[in-house]
């Protein structure tokens, strides 16, 4: 096993990975940018290194600086988390070349799944169903119009290098195709430096269902069942759950088996996710493979009892999977919501400021993955994901009850968050019935406005007072001599 691991990330995922590293008895090294000088992940890490700068290019995407720190701090491995460099084959290659282990799949697997057109080609060869489409080299308007006609409208123009819902345009009729292609190309070039596009049939009202995969260096590949992530805003997930109540046991078996075949087709090692869209007749089609840990891995951890991050580290260190497929059971129901620094009143624009007060709900089977604490600034430099709230219970109905309870007690102030929006989603009768398709938000929330429950000034005054009292308390605590307190839990027998 390794001795020291660097976490090339920030926020809630950095905190999550540091926990796994330390639980395994290893030393956790954190990096941080200038705006992150007071971030939570630095409190938890054993060693911290500053990368001066603000924007991701200079900091969390700065391969040169990260490798320098890795060498200087003599780490054995680097965990990239999600986002940033997690799906960057060049980074994985450079890490390996420096004699350090990249906690993730091989650069080849990252590369072959990085381009959606290439991934679709590999899946076709592996007999994994793909969405009907066209991905030929000839992308002249005439050919695209002919192909779109063959596939049948509506059509989705997608960027081959796509991610995060960027470079995707829906086309309802032929006259819209040329403009959509141009606009998708422009967006893709700007976001990914590659304007290759392809066409897919646009499935109406599908579900997004994905399968968690784990592979080791001995060639064992297993799945940890599915997650349903259909609740999305602009193709971005905001609520995820496991299991998907839409799947029958037979379809579940088929989709999980297709995911394992997809992973086998690229000799996949470590944790990955195979994403599918599923139509109302239960036909499922490969969308893409994410060659990294997913934000929503917590719902799988809750329903299978497997600590995916610890296993990622063990697999990277050369250990074999400690269980076989039939030892993995999916139990109960888990739901995660993503807490974003977004202003629902203002068209979900990113919200910035200082977190004045933070008191997430605590309770049985309530998990908080936090990347923040009171007093830290939230800036525009990085993704607005602040925290994740995950609940677990024996059934979907009771898990929803628990989630409602927890959302209502989520104490955060200083910046605006999407919490009021999340509350409305989990209270929506169609969500409760399980009618969750990818157009759920569009269908039921297109004219949504934050219910007018203006927070009284006294609430802000109380929050500020509470923060002040907490500060006083922590000053008091640091001046207290726990050693001389016979009842102190901090001293040994
Ligand atoms: P990205 O990598 O940009 O996230 P994906 O291919 O994973 O793109 O798709 C993101 C989301 O877009 C899916 O979860 C689904 O909601 C929607 N989507 C993608 N392809 C299709 C399609 N062919 N038909 C309908 N919806 C789609």
């Amino acid at each position: 096993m390794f001795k020291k691991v660097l976490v090339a990330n920030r926020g809630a995922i950095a905190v999550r990975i540091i926990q796994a590293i330390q639980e395994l008895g290893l030393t956790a090294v954190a990096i941080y940018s200038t705006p992150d000088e007071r971030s939570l992940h630095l409190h938890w890490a054993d060693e911290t290194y500053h990368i001066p700068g603000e924007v991701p290019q200079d900091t969390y995407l700065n391969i040169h600086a990260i490798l320098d720190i890795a060498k200087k701090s003599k780490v054995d491995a680097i965990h990239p988390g999600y986002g940033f460099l997690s799906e960057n084959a060049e980074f994985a290659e450079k890490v390996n070349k420096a004699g350090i282990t990249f906690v993730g799949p091989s650069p080849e697997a990252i590369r072959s799944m990085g381009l959606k057109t290439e991934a679709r080609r590999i899946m076709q060869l592996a007999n994994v169903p793909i969405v009907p489409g066209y991905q030929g080299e000839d992308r002249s308007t005439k050919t695209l119009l002919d192909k779109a006609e063959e596939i049948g409208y509506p059509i989705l123009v997608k960027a081959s290098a796509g991610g995060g819902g960027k470079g995707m345009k829906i086309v309802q009729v032929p006259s819209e195709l040329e403009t959509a292609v141009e606009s998708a190309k422009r967006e893709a070039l700007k976001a990914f430096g590659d304007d290759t596009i392809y066409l897919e049939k646009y499935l109406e009202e599908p579900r997004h269902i994905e399968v968690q995969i784990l592979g080791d260096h001995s060639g064992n590949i297993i799945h940890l069942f599915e997650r349903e992530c259909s609740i999305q805003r602009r193709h971005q997930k905001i609520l995820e759950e496991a299991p998907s109540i839409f799947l029958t046991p037979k379809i579940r078996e088929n989709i999980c088996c297709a995911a394992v075949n997809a992973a086998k087709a690229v000799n996949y090692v470590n944790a990955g996710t195979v994403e599918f869209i599923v139509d109302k007749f239960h036909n499922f089609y490969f969308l893409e493979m994410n060659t990294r840990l997913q934000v929503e891995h917590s719902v799988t951890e809750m329903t299978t009892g497997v600590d995916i991050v610890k296993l990622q580290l063990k697999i990277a260190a050369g250990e074999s999977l400690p269980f076989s497929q039939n030892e993995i059971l999916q139990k109960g129901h888990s739901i995660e919501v993503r807490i974003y620094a977004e202003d629902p009143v203002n068209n979900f624009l990113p919200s910035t400021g200082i977190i004045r007060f933070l008191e997430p709900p605590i309770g049985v089977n309530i998990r908080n993955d936090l990347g923040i604490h009171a007093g830290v600034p939230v800036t525009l430099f990085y993704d607005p994901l602040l925290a994740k709230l995950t609940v677990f219970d024996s059934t979907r109905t009771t898990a929803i009850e628990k989630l409602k309870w927890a959302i209502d007690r989520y104490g955060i102030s200083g910046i605006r968050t999407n919490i009021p929006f999340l509350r409305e989603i989990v209270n929506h009768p169609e969500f409760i019935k399980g009618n969750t398709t990818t157009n759920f938000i569009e269908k039921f929330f297109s004219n949504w406005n934050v219910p007018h429950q203006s927070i009284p000034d006294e609430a802000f005054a109380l929050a500020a007072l509470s923060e002040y009292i907490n500060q006083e308390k922590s000053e008091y605590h640091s001046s207290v001599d726990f050693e001389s307190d016979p009842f102190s839990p901090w001293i040994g027998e």
Side-chain angles (χ1 to χ4, degrees), residues 116 120 131-132 154-156 158-159 161-168 170 192 198-209 229-230 232 234-237 275-277 285-290 292 437-439:
K116 293 185 184 195
R120 279 167 59 86
V131 187
I155 290 283
L156 191 60
K158 290 176 91 168
K166 292 200 185 90
M168 246 193 269
I170 302 169
F192 318 110
Y198 65 105
L199 305 182
E200 257 183 22
K201 168 117 194 112
Y202 179 69
L203 300 184
E204 284 174 281
E205 309 210 9
R207 293 183 184 240
H208 173 118
I209 297 178
C229 318
S230 303
Q232 306 177 350
R234 300 197 181 139
H235 307 301
Q236 283 285 39
K237 301 163 189 167
E275 299 191 332
F276 296 92
I277 40 175
Y285 305 94
F286 171 84
L287 261 189
E288 64 165 343
M289 180 163 189
N290 288 323
R292 55 167 167 83
T437 54
T438 57
N439 59 332

Side-chain angles (χ1 to χ4, degrees), residues 177-205:
L177 187 72
E178 196 173 356
T179 321
V181 167
E182 285 316 312
S183 143
K185 278 167 78 172
R186 264 196 312 275
E187 210 172 296
L189 189 66
K190 191 162 164 245
F192 318 110
D194 174 351
D195 70 354
T196 313
I197 54 97
Y198 65 105
L199 305 182
E200 257 183 22
K201 168 117 194 112
Y202 179 69
L203 300 184
E204 284 174 281
E205 309 210 9

